[in-house]
Amino acid sequence: MKEYRLSVDPRILELLGPNLYTNIYYVLAELIANAYDADAKNVYIISNKDDIRVEDDGHGMSYEAGDIAKYLNVAGVSRTTEDESKTKSGSRRKMGRKGVGKLAALSVSENVDILTVADGEKSGFVLSRRPENGDELKAIEDEKIVFERIEDHGSAIIMRNPQYRLHQTLAPVKRNLLKIFPLVDANFRIHIIRGNKTVTIDAFDRSIMGELSTLITLGDKFAPLCDLVPDSYPARRPDLVAAEAKKVMSITMKANDGKEHEYTLEVLGWIGTYKTTRGRKAELTDFPDNFISLFANEKMGEFNILPVVGQNKLTEVYVVGQLHVDLFELTELPDMALSNRQGYKSDDPRYEAVREFVRNELLAEILRKRKTYTDIVNADKKRLKEEAQRNDEAKLRAAVDGFRKNASEEAANALAVLGVNASREAVKDVISRSINVHSPDLGLKAKVDSQKKKILISQTYPDKAFADIIYQMLVFNNVPPDDILYTNCDDEVCRVPEDRAVYDYLREFFVESYSTQKIFVLFVTSENTKASWGAITEVGASWITKIDHKIFNIHPFRPEHPLNDEMQWQSTNRTEPTNGDLWMIKLNADIFCQKIEAVCDSLDYKKKNRTQNMDHLGTLVSIRDRI
């Protein structure tokens, strides 16, 4: 009669079993890793009505050869030398190290059947959170040791009455497993089975690359992933997708022998950003799509370090990546994994080095690429919008010309019929009726007006700090950034589109057109204005076209004609003449808000009240009681 005894206080099972893992996919990853270490070529995850079964066609365990006794040595270190770091076949590096992964299934079920066969020798027992008679585990009779997918060699872990369940559809199961166990190929396949449905995972999920806008790969092994990213903007592809060499760092650590040695830490893998986050709402038990995972020896050690390395930037929600650092699992170095097997010790020098590299270099670089992508997309949208505007303007021009021609012809014909002696009132009546008939031709005017920029902030770059305050106050008063033309704005949507000449672009907003919508100009004037040809040009253009404008002036400069210098302007001070800090007295702060509100009234924006505007302005610039 075979006996199965745990070589550990059985209470550890009750304490650790239910708490060691908090997610069914972490559990499956541990069991899959065990199969990998057993040189399995196939793992079968079978979801039945009353159990979840994980079978593999690895070597299996022999009771007679002592394999099972070794298996039941919970927390027994399995890798102490480099030779022990290899699997029995010698072709794989072992993923397991602490020997607690076998407890993973106890997080799902109180009692787990362990079945195994090695060269025809069958063995089986029940791993339980509460073993009988102290450390004894219940044996399973040979005739009840039945496998669903394997025959002569392999193992099966059967989690009965599981606490967690897999998704009802197999696609999400595949997606989640690939996030935490990407090491699959023709030599190691995972089969997910429910009833008569089967999904096989035998390759990295390349579909994720098709969802990316940017990508950086580290190391030759991952460089081919670049070819899978869509080529949306061929001319700018080098700015969006890059295959880089692996990151190599030198690090000094104390090994298990107590001596310090210098090691080479290598980071390989990939990091990218999604085109969009739409449609990525996952179920509560799912792993999110937004993460940076760490792997060692192909096994996931920490699912997401993004909260640790990120800086809470909005664009970080687009980031996804998988990084591989095998030094984390070097046999001669201390084990750095947390006891729950779902992360690493934060004070380990290897973890600190990788964390700093990702935070300061890799994440910063991919976010720069993401910004480039966003700028390109916005520029493309603006170009299409401008083309539509020019087309609509041309249609409006043709409509007006047609209106004039038709109206005058019909008026002339009517006058000829009436005779030259027709009364003035009769002529006016005929023309009026003609205009009424053809007025629908002007229906495009509203559409053309709505597409044009509404506000131009005219300024010089040395006065950008003051122009930024005006811009922020406009946005605070519900003016859409897309309605503002501000050439030095930090928000790309307000700047002149890429590859457009500045003055050609501005000319479209100053020239008279058949559309009556003109741009409202907010002039930022200072001593710098006299030295800027561009600012002077804008002043002259606004005077010629009689465009409405407001003046925001920096003392001691005095605005002059052709600006409307008879109109009250807003005055702001600097602590130093050229580039000092800005400040204003309460009266001028009130005038500032008054002018912003007047612009909003003129263009039908829903403005804030004076108290709200004064309070917000006080957060942007120093407001003093007196000079």
Side-chain angles (χ1 to χ4, degrees):
M1 181 68 178
K2 295 177 179 178
E3 294 182 351
Y4 303 92
R5 294 182 180 275
L6 282 168
S7 58
V8 67
D9 189 325
R11 288 176 298 179
I12 197 71
L13 300 181
E14 189 169 1
L15 290 171
L16 290 183
N19 303 310
L20 194 59
Y21 300 90
T22 56
N23 186 296
I24 183 65
Y25 295 102
Y26 280 120
V27 173
L28 293 177
E30 287 286 2
L31 301 181
I32 293 169
N34 288 345
Y36 182 88
D37 287 351
D39 287 315
K41 292 186 177 180
N42 295 278
V43 180
Y44 304 91
I45 299 173
I46 307 167
S47 181
N48 296 318
K49 181 180 178 181
D50 298 318
D51 63 60
I52 299 174
R53 174 187 290 250
V54 179
E55 288 191 7
D56 70 75
D57 60 1
H59 298 298
M61 295 181 288
S62 167
Y63 183 92
E64 299 297 335
D67 296 334
I68 292 179
K70 187 176 181 181
Y71 176 85
L72 291 175
N73 182 19
V74 177
V77 178
S78 61
R79 288 191 280 119
T80 57
T81 66
E82 190 59 29
D83 289 340
E84 290 178 346
S85 297
K86 298 291 183 64
T87 61
K88 187 179 291 186
S89 68
S91 60
R92 296 175 179 173
R93 293 189 66 85
K94 285 183 181 179
M95 292 184 177
R97 180 167 183 170
K98 278 189 173 180
V100 297
K102 60 181 68 70
L103 302 182
L106 291 177
S107 294
V108 178
S109 300
E110 288 192 11
N111 298 295
V112 178
D113 290 359
I114 310 295
L115 313 179
T116 186
V117 55
D119 297 326
E121 177 198 345
K122 290 184 177 182
S123 301
F125 56 92
V126 180
L127 187 63
S128 175
R129 295 180 190 172
R130 301 176 183 85
E132 298 177 357
N133 301 322
D135 60 354
E136 286 186 14
L137 302 179
K138 181 181 178 181
I140 298 175
E141 298 172 3
D142 284 4
E143 59 269 20
K144 293 183 179 180
I145 299 176
V146 179
F147 299 93
E148 293 190 17
R149 298 283 167 163
I150 62 175
E151 295 181 2
D152 298 328
H153 54 87
S155 299
I157 313 295
I158 307 171
M159 295 168 278
R160 300 197 181 279
N161 302 311
Q163 179 180 336
Y164 304 110
R165 282 290 185 178
L166 300 177
H167 288 78
Q168 291 302 311
T169 54
L170 300 185
V173 180
K174 173 182 177 180
R175 183 179 68 243
N176 286 308
L177 283 176
L178 273 170
K179 287 177 184 176
I180 62 175
F181 203 98
L183 183 65
V184 285
D185 54 28
N187 294 315
F188 188 71
R189 299 180 295 179
I190 302 172
H191 310 269
I192 309 166
I193 303 165
R194 176 181 276 116
N196 59 0
K197 295 182 179 179
T198 301
V199 171
T200 298
I201 312 174
D202 56 7
F204 171 75
D205 186 11
R206 299 187 167 210
S207 65
I208 193 173
M209 294 294 132
E211 300 174 9
L212 300 184
S213 59
T214 65
L215 179 68
I216 298 171
T217 61
L218 300 175
D220 295 340
K221 177 180 178 180
F222 296 93
L225 296 179
C226 291
D227 297 333
L228 304 177
V229 178
D231 199 6
S232 304
Y233 300 97
R236 300 297 302 276
R237 189 169 180 82
D239 298 323
L240 304 176
V241 178
E244 300 181 358
K246 61 186 177 184
K247 176 67 176 180
V248 179
M249 295 177 275
S250 180
I251 187 169
T252 300
M253 283 197 64
K254 184 177 289 187
N256 292 328
D257 61 9
K259 298 179 181 178
E260 285 194 345
H261 302 275
E262 188 173 292
Y263 296 92
T264 299
L265 187 150
E266 298 179 347
V267 183
L268 297 90
W270 60 273
I271 187 171
T273 60
Y274 293 110
K275 293 178 185 175
T276 178
T277 58
R278 289 195 206 103
R280 298 194 175 279
K281 185 177 180 182
E283 295 188 20
L284 292 177
T285 56
D286 281 4
F287 293 93
D289 290 323
N290 171 222
F291 59 85
I292 301 177
S293 295
L294 294 180
F295 291 80
N297 287 352
E298 308 293 350
K299 182 181 179 182
M300 190 188 74
E302 186 165 343
F303 175 68
N304 191 11
I305 64 167
L306 190 53
V308 178
V309 300
Q311 299 177 14
N312 294 320
K313 294 182 178 179
L314 291 177
T315 49
E316 289 174 4
V317 300
Y318 297 96
V319 173
V320 60
Q322 294 179 338
L323 304 177
H324 297 253
V325 191
D326 285 351
L327 192 67
F328 283 1
E329 288 289 338
L330 187 64
T331 300
E332 65 185 70
L333 289 175
D335 186 4
M336 60 184 286
L338 297 177
S339 59
N340 66 2
R341 319 304 296 161
Q342 297 177 24
Y344 291 113
K345 297 174 182 175
S346 59
D347 60 349
D348 188 282
R350 292 164 288 181
Y351 185 81
E352 290 178 337
V354 172
R355 184 177 60 203
E356 291 305 305
F357 161 64
V358 176
R359 176 189 291 121
N360 298 329
E361 298 182 41
L362 191 59
L363 182 59
E365 185 178 355
I366 199 62
L367 290 180
R368 281 194 294 271
K369 289 186 179 298
R370 172 70 196 185
K371 184 180 184 303
T372 299
Y373 174 78
T374 302
D375 288 348
I376 294 171
V377 170
N378 288 339
D380 206 39
K381 289 179 179 177
K382 288 175 73 173
R383 178 182 58 79
L384 294 174
K385 183 177 179 180
E386 289 172 35
E387 288 178 359
Q389 179 182 328
R390 284 193 289 271
N391 291 336
D392 289 339
E393 184 88 23
K395 291 177 183 177
L396 179 58
R397 187 180 297 275
V400 172
D401 290 342
F403 168 80
R404 287 174 175 170
K405 181 174 181 294
N406 293 332
S408 61
E409 285 179 354
E410 291 193 13
N413 292 336
L415 287 172
V417 172
L418 291 173
V420 294
N421 294 323
S423 69
R424 182 181 179 83
E425 288 73 21
V427 172
K428 287 172 63 178
D429 184 59
V430 169
I431 295 175
S432 178
R433 288 199 303 270
S434 179
I435 290 174
N436 288 338
V437 170
H438 293 285
S439 60
D441 294 342
L442 301 179
L444 279 171
K445 177 188 175 300
K447 183 177 180 181
V448 172
D449 286 350
S450 68
Q451 292 175 333
K452 297 183 75 172
K453 293 282 189 182
K454 307 296 192 302
I455 300 171
L456 168 66
I457 300 177
S458 176
Q459 38 74 53
T460 63
Y461 188 77
D463 296 329
K464 183 180 184 303
F466 192 30
D468 283 344
I469 295 172
I470 295 171
Y471 168 76
Q472 291 178 67
M473 287 298 293
L474 289 171
V475 173
F476 180 70
N477 279 270
N478 299 303
V479 179
D482 198 43
D483 286 359
I484 302 171
L485 181 58
Y486 171 21
T487 56
N488 287 317
C489 188
D490 292 329
D491 189 341
E492 192 271 343
V493 75
C494 300
R495 299 196 297 266
V496 174
E498 195 173 354
D499 300 327
R500 290 291 305 278
V502 175
Y503 293 116
D504 286 345
Y505 185 74
L506 291 174
R507 182 162 54 87
E508 297 178 9
F509 297 102
F510 282 112
V511 296
E512 189 70 60
S513 77
Y514 283 91
S515 168
T516 57
Q517 173 67 52
K518 293 183 180 179
I519 198 164
F520 204 121
V521 184
L522 306 184
F523 286 103
V524 177
T525 57
S526 72
E527 295 292 337
N528 298 312
T529 303
K530 294 183 292 186
S532 172
W533 178 251
I536 294 172
T537 301
E538 290 169 1
V539 170
S542 69
W543 178 77
I544 293 171
T545 55
K546 300 187 183 332
I547 284 176
D548 287 337
H549 64 271
K550 302 289 182 186
I551 302 172
F552 295 81
N553 183 59
I554 301 177
H555 184 79
F557 184 73
R558 178 183 175 85
E560 300 175 358
H561 191 75
L563 289 176
N564 186 359
D565 55 349
E566 296 178 359
M567 176 182 66
Q568 182 187 43
W569 61 74
Q570 192 276 340
S571 185
T572 296
N573 299 82
R574 275 198 180 109
T575 55
E576 296 178 13
T578 55
N579 59 358
D581 294 334
L582 297 166
W583 64 274
M584 57 184 76
I585 62 173
K586 284 186 177 180
L587 173 61
N588 284 327
D590 193 74
I591 293 172
F592 184 105
C593 295
Q594 178 187 358
K595 290 188 179 298
I596 293 292
E597 292 163 16
V599 172
C600 293
D601 288 337
S602 177
L603 298 174
D604 295 324
Y605 295 114
K606 189 176 181 180
K607 67 184 180 184
K608 306 284 186 179
N609 62 44
R610 184 62 54 84
T611 301
Q612 291 172 315
N613 278 322
M614 286 290 286
D615 289 344
H616 190 66
L617 181 60
T619 67
L620 304 175
V621 66
S622 174
I623 300 176
R624 304 179 182 179
D625 291 331
R626 63 178 66 88
I627 296 177

